[in-house]
Amino acid sequence: MARGLSGHPAVDVVAVDVVAVGVGPAAAAAGTATALTTAALAGRPYALAVSAGIGGGFTAPPGALLVADAITVADLGAETPEGFLPVTELGFGTVTHRPPASLVRELAAAVSATAVGTVLTVSTVTGTADRAALLVRRHPDAVAEAMEGFGVAEAAAAHGVPVAEIRAVSNAVGPRDRAAWRIGDALAALAEASGKAAPVLTRWSST
């Protein structure tokens, strides 16, 4: 997360803090909300929240970097005889948060993203080809799935703070095959991307 050190929306010095918020949307939401609230009460509010981590790619290979233009929760809703209904079709809630388009463009260029698209948040990681195909049918613009982005976005929205999401691909979305995971490659790519993204986050948060 990034903030102006003076707490003023337009400053010359910006802090970028790394906060580990846990695994899954609930932990991510709680951890992000705690960090945002603590900073606001201290008079040094954050100007931007970024969910960054590894995840499964639908078509991008391990090590690829992906930037979200939509952060969508894939499994918040109800199963019915006619199929899945997202919570919005039940008459409440939200299922998608959209990062600022200009920030998405700048981040994608800075990290040389393989693709920009929807990053799905799931509570249970996909482990079958059938489930992967179902997600693609429901979300044809999806480029990745992970477990935290929507939680971060919900907390950020509650505080009126814009959000972004960056994912490095560690595995293909589909049949669970741990031998094919490339977590080390994904973490290395994410570390490199973080350095490249920092100037964009700093610049964006100080304007």
Side-chain angles (χ1 to χ4, degrees), residues 114-197:
T114 297
V116 172
T118 300
V119 175
L120 301 178
T121 297
V122 295
S123 295
T124 301
V125 173
T126 298
T128 67
D130 287 346
R131 174 64 176 173
L134 178 63
L135 289 177
V136 170
R137 287 197 300 273
R138 289 180 183 166
H139 307 280
D141 295 328
V143 294
E145 74 165 23
M147 301 182 74
E148 293 79 32
F150 187 78
V152 172
E154 283 278 87
H159 282 260
V161 175
V163 67
E165 184 167 11
I166 302 172
R167 290 287 161 180
V169 177
S170 58
N171 58 278
V173 177
R176 188 172 175 83
D177 179 9
R178 296 196 63 172
W181 292 0
R182 297 294 181 266
I183 292 177
D185 292 342
L187 290 174
L190 186 64
E192 183 177 355
S194 297
K196 293 178 178 178

Side-chain angles (χ1 to χ4, degrees), residues 66-148:
L66 307 172
V67 175
D69 62 7
I71 301 169
T72 296
V73 61
D75 50 12
L76 181 61
E79 291 291 347
T80 76
E82 291 74 35
F84 176 78
L85 289 179
V87 69
T88 49
E89 294 190 26
L90 300 176
F92 53 90
T94 186
V95 294
T96 296
H97 294 278
R98 295 191 179 276
S102 59
L103 177 59
V104 171
R105 289 193 298 269
E106 290 185 43
L107 281 176
V111 306
S112 300
T114 297
V116 172
T118 300
V119 175
L120 301 178
T121 297
V122 295
S123 295
T124 301
V125 173
T126 298
T128 67
D130 287 346
R131 174 64 176 173
L134 178 63
L135 289 177
V136 170
R137 287 197 300 273
R138 289 180 183 166
H139 307 280
D141 295 328
V143 294
E145 74 165 23
M147 301 182 74
E148 293 79 32

